[in-house]
Amino acid sequence: MSSTGNSTGNKPIRPSTGAAHSRLFSVGGYRPARVVTNDEICEHIDSTDEWIRTRSGIATRRFALPEETIQDLSVAAGGKAIAAAGISPEQIGAVMVASCTVTNPIPAAAPEVASRLGAVNSAAFDINIACAGFCHGVALGSDMIRAGSAEYVLVIGTEKFTSIIDKTDRGIAFIFGDGSGAAVLGPSEVPGIGPVVWGADGARASAIEMNGDWVDKATAGERAFLRMNGQQVFRWAAYEMAPVARRAVEVAGLTLDDLDAFIPHQANMRITDAMVRALKLPAHVAIARDIVDMGNTSAASVPLAMETMLERGEIASGSTALLVGFGAGLSFAAQVVTIP
Ligand code: UT7
């Protein structure tokens, strides 16, 4: 190899260089106005308010208006996060919309969202990895900032489950809700986002899936709906996610005692409780329990729960939180972050 390039004499490609470290600058959420009670859900399924509260922890969830789009929800949360970050939209180098409920795949939701937010110098793309989507976005955004492909990154988790839920499906109708949560990530002099522990198990893809191909269903004059093997997902999440969470703390060079907060995906209160027990989390660690009011909002649940904990004073800016996203795929991603 010559000193000016490779063995064929080409000049070397200049690598990108980024910030030493990354951190969360802000979080912002959008909760659709309509509060839906368990009693309203039970108008369509054979269930009770008490059963739903006991088995899932959910008291209410939010439903978006039929005309509210994934993009509308994302712009509302993303705009709040940008304002709280104290940066201008033009400084954002990448906008990601994590969602599994985008019903029209072309074009992706993110370009419109970036445009409406004024992020005119930004790459914009969607991530579809369900309830693990926000934590995947945080991992990608952190690496992009450190590699130099973006200075600031907006990660938005948005779901509109009302588009794909069969309200007569007893195993699913009460669990999911609509909402959006966003975070701005940017450069930092000290590490604010730990290494990600992530993975997927496609062998168990059928645990949560649509009940058929959208196009085939439409051709047959039917609608495609979400289906879930609740018990299978419950067992996987309750028993296999604690080791993932523990590993995320270890690779961040911390112990569970160093945590101030645990913010897992809000799937089911009993799953959160099982993880807390399995991890033997110290009593001082604040636990996210946003599922009570919001139900399971998949990719939106972690940032929404973080915002709620900040608003209620359960966590303070600068504290250390363990995030764990998990769900359809099956898929998971976990990391330790400093709360913005
Ligand atoms: O977001 C990531 C992916 N999703 C999740 O993480 C969700 C994971 N799964 C779950 O949260 C739980 O499996 C559910 C909340 C969905 C269901 O709770 P479960 O404790 O696993 O209920 P089950 O399916 O084991 O059913 C227990 C009983 C059954 O009756 P029998 O056979 O014991 O008489 C069901 O028929 O509860 C019955 N049941 C219901 N009863 C009243 C099932 N659904 C309902 C219902 N209302 N909606």
Side-chain angles (χ1 to χ4, degrees), residues 42 45-48 51-52 55-56 130-131 161 169-176 208 228-237 265-271 296-298 326-328 330:
C42 294
I45 58 171
D46 177 17
S47 188
T48 61
W51 191 94
I52 295 171
R55 302 298 270 219
S56 71
C131 313
F161 273 102
D169 182 342
R170 194 171 180 241
I172 228 171
F174 63 93
I175 284 269
F176 294 100
I208 317 176
M228 176 171 71
N229 182 332
Q231 277 188 11
Q232 186 188 3
V233 180
F234 189 101
R235 278 196 297 270
W236 167 75
H265 163 49
Q266 302 290 286
N268 181 322
M269 188 77 89
R270 288 161 53 222
I271 292 175
N296 179 334
T297 56
S298 189
F326 54 88
L330 298 171

